[in-house]
Each structure stands twice: as C-alpha cells, then as structure tokens.
Amino acid sequence: MEKRIMSLEMVEICVTSRCNLECSHCYQHHDKNHHELAYEKLIEIVSFASSRNCQEYVLSGGEFFLHERAYDLLDYIFENTTCDDIKVVTNLSMADTDRISAYPRERIEFLVSVYGSPEAHDKRRGQGHYEKVAGKINELSQLGFRVSAICALDEENFTSLNEVLENPIFNEITILPVAPVGAAGMKDIPIKDSSEYADVLKCVYHNCHVYHDSEARCSLFPNGFSVKYNGDIFPCNLARDYGLGCIGNVSHKHIDDVISAFTNSDESNMYFEYKANSQVDECNNCPENKVCNRGCRIRALKFNNKLLSSDPFVCKIFTTQHEDIPFGTLYWGEAIVNELAAH
C-alpha cells in the first residue's frame, strides 16, 4: 500500500550558504558562499509543506537575510499559508528592521545565536558584533517582535551562561548542549571534558520541558524534514549537519516526486516504524529516559547504525558509558573532529 505524508509538524529550509561572518566555530565553512536555493524552488517547498498543513517553518542559512529574496519568501509564507509559527534563525546583523516592521508580530519569531558574554560572543564572531546585534534586538523588541537566543555550550563559554539567562532582551533562550568543532581557531578549547561542563549539560537536560512533555523528541521524518541550501533533503536538521540519510535532492526534481519516492522506499520504513512506536528498548530501564526522552535518533543511527538504539551523547551525560570519549567526538564523530583539528 502506498504511503503518503498527510501532515507536517515542521519544515526547516536553509535558503543560502552565504554568510557575512567568519565565526571560528562554524561547521559549514567549507560550503560558505557556494550554494543558494532559487526563489522558485523555495516557493515549491513552502507550497508542498502548506498543502500538508505544516505547523512550523524554520528559515536559516548561512545567513538567512543574505538571500536576495529573503523578504519575498517571508511575504509569500504570510500571504499564502495559515502557519503562525515562523522562525528565522539569523545573526541579525544584516536584517532590515524597517522592512520587518510590516510583518505580523504574532506569527514570526527571530532566533539569534549568542555565545555567552559579550566578550565570549565577540571572540567567536568578531569585535563589536555583540553590540551591533544587541541594538537590532532592542529595535525588534520595541516593535513588538519576539526575539529569542540560541546559545551553544562548550568548555570555553559555559561559565558565562548566566549572563545570557539573565539578559532581559530575550523572550526565550534555547540552550544547545553542543560541543562545536568548527573551522580553524577553535584549537584553544580543551578537548578533555571538565566535570563542571558535564554538570551544566545535565542541568540543561533536566530543565528541558520540551523533551519531558512530548512523546517524540523532535519532528523527525515523516513528521518533518530539513532542506539544505544545495537542495538535499534530510530527515531532520541534525541529519543534515551530519550529511546522514539524504532523502533526495530537489534541485532538478519536484519536491513531491522526491518525497514520494523516498516515502515508498524500504529506506523510509525505520522512520515510519519509529513514528508508530517511539520506544527504544535499550532505554526502557534507564531512570533518566524521561529527561532526555531517549536521546536523539539520528545520533543513535550515526554511531550504532540503528535508529532505535541508545544515543551515546546523552548516555555519557547521565551514565558511566563512554567516559573516555570527549563530548565533541560523541556529538560529531571522530572523523569530523580529526579533520577539523588538522586545519
């Protein structure tokens, strides 16, 4: 019997690999300024998602606002969909607040990457960037828009987390327990994990109510998907970052055909089985399984070659497993860590 996707929780679209910054932690630096989705293809993707009543759009890059049709894309979503949960992931430095001021406040939110204190942030993103972005955040806040922070933690910046949490300019803060291993310039971050860093990661998970209160941990395919700026489609954004489990490419094929072909292939069966029964046998007896919500399926697939298996990253946080392997290696994989460390 033919399988079809009738509804979508979330679709993420990385519209361009263009970026105006030289962030030391960036894991996409090899692709920088090389790829961009055509506006017509972006409309095709949004139309596909809208026809399946997509509940959330996440738009990112590179830097989203460097796509020459970024504002046209937002206009199209506002005018042609009923979705009221549109998130723009941006460094905000290139955003035109005058143009944005016309958008409906209740339907859009801006997610801005912040890396701890102003000093820690500028060390990653360039001198004076924090002050510039803080000014844009204040402008948008005064206009009535929701602006939230995304803060990725590592051994270098976790001690300044309180400065982000106590900053009143953010409506909400998403803390990512991610050990970044990006471009050259990150060699000064210790590879060995400190006990303090592990304690902070544990605290983050204990306070992540999104995981606690939901049956499934995320909008993994077939509940959602992520489109990369080169046209590749992945089961989720982390699978995209890993380059794992590509569903197909929409550059020269219509998205309906790409999704339909994958949905009715044997490769899609494990995702549909997880949707029908989200239990992970290895996690059932762990006292922390409600805290991490059985971990990330894509990390489990990457390291164990099995979707319904334990996630080594969260197992290291809550158990004695993998004590001799750094968080960065468990998150990204040894090959990626070694490649980047060699630069």
Side-chain angles (χ1 to χ4, degrees):
M1 187 172 103
E2 183 181 13
K3 291 179 288 188
R4 299 185 64 188
I5 296 176
M6 305 304 295
S7 63
L8 287 165
E9 293 176 2
M10 185 272 287
V11 167
E12 183 192 43
I13 312 172
C14 301
V15 301
T16 182
S17 69
R18 294 170 64 195
C19 187
N20 59 308
L21 299 180
E22 297 284 348
C23 297
S24 59
H25 62 280
C26 182
Y27 58 87
Q28 296 179 343
H29 58 284
H30 294 305
D31 287 342
K32 185 177 178 181
N33 300 327
H34 292 315
H35 304 284
E36 187 161 282
L37 288 168
Y39 178 69
E40 293 74 20
K41 185 58 65 173
L42 294 172
I43 298 306
E44 178 186 299
I45 296 166
V46 171
S47 298
F48 174 89
S50 178
S51 68
R52 287 150 181 83
N53 194 31
C54 182
Q55 299 172 32
E56 177 183 353
Y57 293 94
V58 180
L59 308 174
S60 64
E63 168 48 42
F64 172 76
F65 287 110
L66 282 179
H67 194 291
E68 63 179 2
R69 303 292 297 274
Y71 299 100
D72 294 334
L73 176 61
L74 286 171
D75 289 340
Y76 181 88
I77 295 174
F78 287 131
E79 294 169 6
N80 294 277
T81 80
T82 59
C83 180
D84 59 3
D85 190 0
I86 301 161
K87 293 181 172 66
V88 178
V89 181
T90 170
N91 67 50
L92 211 56
S93 59
M94 303 299 292
D96 183 344
T97 51
D98 288 336
R99 182 78 181 267
I100 292 170
S101 66
Y103 293 145
R105 276 65 170 163
E106 70 279 3
R107 296 183 66 188
I108 189 170
E109 179 179 6
F110 299 91
L111 307 182
V112 185
S113 297
V114 176
Y115 292 94
S117 66
E119 294 76 18
H121 182 92
D122 284 355
K123 184 177 181 180
R124 299 281 181 90
R125 306 211 122 173
Q127 192 63 35
H129 186 264
Y130 187 95
E131 183 178 357
K132 182 177 183 179
V133 170
K136 288 286 184 75
I137 292 171
N138 281 321
E139 284 185 58
L140 291 175
S141 297
Q142 290 172 10
L143 289 168
F145 289 100
R146 290 172 292 162
V147 183
S148 298
I150 301 176
C151 184
L153 296 182
D154 57 48
E155 286 280 1
E156 185 183 51
N157 73 343
F158 79 90
T159 56
S160 63
L161 177 59
N162 280 343
E163 293 191 44
V164 181
L165 294 174
E166 294 171 358
N167 196 325
I169 65 176
F170 298 118
N171 291 96
E172 186 175 290
I173 297 169
T174 299
I175 301 171
L176 303 177
V178 176
V181 284
M186 296 297 284
K187 294 181 180 180
D188 55 339
I189 296 181
I191 294 178
K192 186 177 180 180
D193 305 316
S194 68
S195 59
E196 293 86 355
Y197 179 50
D199 287 342
V200 170
L201 294 184
K202 186 178 292 187
C203 180
V204 168
Y205 273 92
H206 273 288
N207 288 279
C208 187
H209 298 292
V210 173
Y211 290 168
H212 305 174
D213 301 336
S214 58
E215 181 178 345
R217 193 172 188 266
C218 64
S219 298
L220 182 68
F221 185 89
N223 294 328
F225 57 83
S226 176
V227 186
K228 195 172 182 178
Y229 34 64
N230 65 353
D232 286 342
I233 303 181
F234 292 91
C236 70
N237 60 343
L238 185 59
R240 179 206 68 217
D241 292 343
Y242 283 164
L244 179 68
C246 183
I247 289 171
N249 187 287
V250 295
S251 297
H252 303 293
K253 291 184 178 180
H254 197 282
I255 188 170
D256 275 291
D257 297 330
V258 174
I259 295 292
S260 178
F262 180 76
T263 298
N264 290 283
S265 69
D266 291 340
E267 288 81 2
S268 74
N269 289 342
M270 61 180 175
Y271 298 109
F272 282 95
E273 290 169 4
Y274 174 61
K275 180 179 180 180
N277 178 17
S278 58
Q279 295 300 310
V280 179
D281 291 341
E282 294 178 45
C283 302
N284 286 343
N285 296 324
C286 177
E288 301 287 356
N289 64 8
K290 297 297 183 182
V291 177
C292 69
N293 206 334
R294 296 144 297 175
C296 172
R297 297 302 89 229
I298 293 300
R299 275 200 302 266
L301 179 63
K302 177 178 175 63
F303 284 89
N304 305 318
N305 199 32
K306 182 181 178 182
L307 194 74
L308 297 182
S309 62
S310 61
D311 171 358
F313 184 81
V314 294
C315 287
K316 177 180 171 69
I317 296 174
F318 292 109
T319 73
T320 58
Q321 297 181 48
H322 314 295
E323 287 184 325
D324 58 335
I325 306 176
F327 280 114
T329 302
L330 288 174
Y331 192 93
W332 292 106
E334 187 173 8
I336 294 177
V337 172
N338 290 341
E339 175 193 351
L340 292 167
H343 287 155

PDB file of all heavy atoms in Angstrom, residues 168-183:
ATOM      1  N   PRO A 168      17.555  40.499  29.877  1.00  0.00           N
ATOM      2  CA  PRO A 168      16.111  40.725  29.705  1.00  0.00           C
ATOM      3  C   PRO A 168      15.672  40.946  28.260  1.00  0.00           C
ATOM      4  O   PRO A 168      14.474  41.001  27.987  1.00  0.00           O
ATOM      5  CB  PRO A 168      15.856  41.980  30.552  1.00  0.00           C
ATOM      6  CG  PRO A 168      17.159  42.714  30.532  1.00  0.00           C
ATOM      7  CD  PRO A 168      18.217  41.653  30.523  1.00  0.00           C
ATOM      8  N   ILE A 169      16.618  41.074  27.318  1.00  0.00           N
ATOM      9  CA  ILE A 169      16.213  41.382  25.944  1.00  0.00           C
ATOM     10  C   ILE A 169      15.681  40.153  25.210  1.00  0.00           C
ATOM     11  O   ILE A 169      15.091  40.289  24.132  1.00  0.00           O
ATOM     12  CB  ILE A 169      17.362  42.022  25.132  1.00  0.00           C
ATOM     13  CG1 ILE A 169      18.522  41.035  24.940  1.00  0.00           C
ATOM     14  CG2 ILE A 169      17.841  43.301  25.792  1.00  0.00           C
ATOM     15  CD1 ILE A 169      19.643  41.590  24.071  1.00  0.00           C
ATOM     16  N   PHE A 170      15.862  38.959  25.784  1.00  0.00           N
ATOM     17  CA  PHE A 170      15.418  37.747  25.104  1.00  0.00           C
ATOM     18  C   PHE A 170      14.099  37.250  25.675  1.00  0.00           C
ATOM     19  O   PHE A 170      13.916  37.172  26.887  1.00  0.00           O
ATOM     20  CB  PHE A 170      16.463  36.637  25.238  1.00  0.00           C
ATOM     21  CG  PHE A 170      17.783  36.969  24.606  1.00  0.00           C
ATOM     22  CD1 PHE A 170      18.932  37.049  25.378  1.00  0.00           C
ATOM     23  CD2 PHE A 170      17.872  37.212  23.252  1.00  0.00           C
ATOM     24  CE1 PHE A 170      20.142  37.364  24.807  1.00  0.00           C
ATOM     25  CE2 PHE A 170      19.079  37.528  22.661  1.00  0.00           C
ATOM     26  CZ  PHE A 170      20.215  37.606  23.447  1.00  0.00           C
ATOM     27  N   ASN A 171      13.157  36.900  24.778  1.00  0.00           N
ATOM     28  CA  ASN A 171      11.893  36.312  25.188  1.00  0.00           C
ATOM     29  C   ASN A 171      12.078  34.890  25.710  1.00  0.00           C
ATOM     30  O   ASN A 171      11.371  34.449  26.620  1.00  0.00           O
ATOM     31  CB  ASN A 171      10.895  36.289  24.024  1.00  0.00           C
ATOM     32  CG  ASN A 171      10.427  37.671  23.635  1.00  0.00           C
ATOM     33  OD1 ASN A 171      10.980  38.271  22.711  1.00  0.00           O
ATOM     34  ND2 ASN A 171       9.435  38.196  24.327  1.00  0.00           N
ATOM     35  N   GLU A 172      13.022  34.176  25.106  1.00  0.00           N
ATOM     36  CA  GLU A 172      13.245  32.777  25.455  1.00  0.00           C
ATOM     37  C   GLU A 172      14.677  32.440  25.088  1.00  0.00           C
ATOM     38  O   GLU A 172      15.291  33.067  24.222  1.00  0.00           O
ATOM     39  CB  GLU A 172      12.268  31.899  24.674  1.00  0.00           C
ATOM     40  CG  GLU A 172      12.269  30.442  25.033  1.00  0.00           C
ATOM     41  CD  GLU A 172      11.181  29.673  24.294  1.00  0.00           C
ATOM     42  OE1 GLU A 172       9.991  29.868  24.590  1.00  0.00           O
ATOM     43  OE2 GLU A 172      11.544  28.879  23.413  1.00  0.00           O
ATOM     44  N   ILE A 173      15.225  31.426  25.742  1.00  0.00           N
ATOM     45  CA  ILE A 173      16.594  31.015  25.455  1.00  0.00           C
ATOM     46  C   ILE A 173      16.623  29.510  25.220  1.00  0.00           C
ATOM     47  O   ILE A 173      16.139  28.738  26.044  1.00  0.00           O
ATOM     48  CB  ILE A 173      17.547  31.389  26.601  1.00  0.00           C
ATOM     49  CG1 ILE A 173      17.596  32.905  26.773  1.00  0.00           C
ATOM     50  CG2 ILE A 173      18.955  30.856  26.341  1.00  0.00           C
ATOM     51  CD1 ILE A 173      18.292  33.368  28.018  1.00  0.00           C
ATOM     52  N   THR A 174      17.150  29.117  24.082  1.00  0.00           N
ATOM     53  CA  THR A 174      17.350  27.709  23.775  1.00  0.00           C
ATOM     54  C   THR A 174      18.822  27.396  23.980  1.00  0.00           C
ATOM     55  O   THR A 174      19.689  28.011  23.342  1.00  0.00           O
ATOM     56  CB  THR A 174      16.955  27.391  22.325  1.00  0.00           C
ATOM     57  OG1 THR A 174      15.570  27.681  22.137  1.00  0.00           O
ATOM     58  CG2 THR A 174      17.203  25.929  22.001  1.00  0.00           C
ATOM     59  N   ILE A 175      19.097  26.475  24.867  1.00  0.00           N
ATOM     60  CA  ILE A 175      20.476  26.111  25.162  1.00  0.00           C
ATOM     61  C   ILE A 175      20.793  24.802  24.457  1.00  0.00           C
ATOM     62  O   ILE A 175      20.116  23.791  24.650  1.00  0.00           O
ATOM     63  CB  ILE A 175      20.693  25.962  26.681  1.00  0.00           C
ATOM     64  CG1 ILE A 175      20.354  27.281  27.381  1.00  0.00           C
ATOM     65  CG2 ILE A 175      22.129  25.554  26.985  1.00  0.00           C
ATOM     66  CD1 ILE A 175      20.324  27.178  28.884  1.00  0.00           C
ATOM     67  N   LEU A 176      21.808  24.826  23.631  1.00  0.00           N
ATOM     68  CA  LEU A 176      22.201  23.649  22.876  1.00  0.00           C
ATOM     69  C   LEU A 176      23.444  23.030  23.503  1.00  0.00           C
ATOM     70  O   LEU A 176      24.510  23.645  23.496  1.00  0.00           O
ATOM     71  CB  LEU A 176      22.499  24.018  21.416  1.00  0.00           C
ATOM     72  CG  LEU A 176      21.365  24.688  20.648  1.00  0.00           C
ATOM     73  CD1 LEU A 176      21.833  25.065  19.255  1.00  0.00           C
ATOM     74  CD2 LEU A 176      20.148  23.781  20.573  1.00  0.00           C
ATOM     75  N   PRO A 177      23.324  21.840  24.054  1.00  0.00           N
ATOM     76  CA  PRO A 177      24.489  21.185  24.647  1.00  0.00           C
ATOM     77  C   PRO A 177      25.364  20.580  23.565  1.00  0.00           C
ATOM     78  O   PRO A 177      25.503  19.371  23.430  1.00  0.00           O
ATOM     79  CB  PRO A 177      23.865  20.111  25.542  1.00  0.00           C
ATOM     80  CG  PRO A 177      22.592  19.770  24.854  1.00  0.00           C
ATOM     81  CD  PRO A 177      22.109  21.034  24.209  1.00  0.00           C
ATOM     82  N   VAL A 178      25.926  21.447  22.749  1.00  0.00           N
ATOM     83  CA  VAL A 178      26.677  21.023  21.578  1.00  0.00           C
ATOM     84  C   VAL A 178      28.131  21.427  21.751  1.00  0.00           C
ATOM     85  O   VAL A 178      28.426  22.596  21.997  1.00  0.00           O
ATOM     86  CB  VAL A 178      26.110  21.672  20.297  1.00  0.00           C
ATOM     87  CG1 VAL A 178      26.963  21.285  19.105  1.00  0.00           C
ATOM     88  CG2 VAL A 178      24.671  21.257  20.078  1.00  0.00           C
ATOM     89  N   ALA A 179      29.030  20.484  21.615  1.00  0.00           N
ATOM     90  CA  ALA A 179      30.445  20.814  21.620  1.00  0.00           C
ATOM     91  C   ALA A 179      30.852  21.151  20.190  1.00  0.00           C
ATOM     92  O   ALA A 179      31.000  20.268  19.358  1.00  0.00           O
ATOM     93  CB  ALA A 179      31.261  19.626  22.130  1.00  0.00           C
ATOM     94  N   PRO A 180      30.974  22.446  19.841  1.00  0.00           N
ATOM     95  CA  PRO A 180      31.251  22.810  18.449  1.00  0.00           C
ATOM     96  C   PRO A 180      32.688  22.496  18.072  1.00  0.00           C
ATOM     97  O   PRO A 180      33.608  22.722  18.840  1.00  0.00           O
ATOM     98  CB  PRO A 180      30.985  24.315  18.419  1.00  0.00           C
ATOM     99  CG  PRO A 180      31.251  24.773  19.801  1.00  0.00           C
ATOM    100  CD  PRO A 180      30.871  23.625  20.704  1.00  0.00           C
ATOM    101  N   VAL A 181      32.869  21.959  16.904  1.00  0.00           N
ATOM    102  CA  VAL A 181      34.208  21.694  16.381  1.00  0.00           C
ATOM    103  C   VAL A 181      34.253  22.232  14.969  1.00  0.00           C
ATOM    104  O   VAL A 181      34.190  21.514  13.998  1.00  0.00           O
ATOM    105  CB  VAL A 181      34.538  20.182  16.398  1.00  0.00           C
ATOM    106  CG1 VAL A 181      34.860  19.729  17.798  1.00  0.00           C
ATOM    107  CG2 VAL A 181      33.383  19.355  15.868  1.00  0.00           C
ATOM    108  N   GLY A 182      34.354  23.541  14.861  1.00  0.00           N
ATOM    109  CA  GLY A 182      34.255  24.180  13.566  1.00  0.00           C
ATOM    110  C   GLY A 182      35.581  24.465  12.923  1.00  0.00           C
ATOM    111  O   GLY A 182      36.525  23.695  13.012  1.00  0.00           O
ATOM    112  N   ALA A 183      35.657  25.601  12.268  1.00  0.00           N
ATOM    113  CA  ALA A 183      36.811  25.950  11.473  1.00  0.00           C
ATOM    114  C   ALA A 183      38.034  26.200  12.351  1.00  0.00           C
ATOM    115  O   ALA A 183      37.978  26.195  13.565  1.00  0.00           O
ATOM    116  CB  ALA A 183      36.489  27.196  10.642  1.00  0.00           C
TER     117      ALA A 183
END
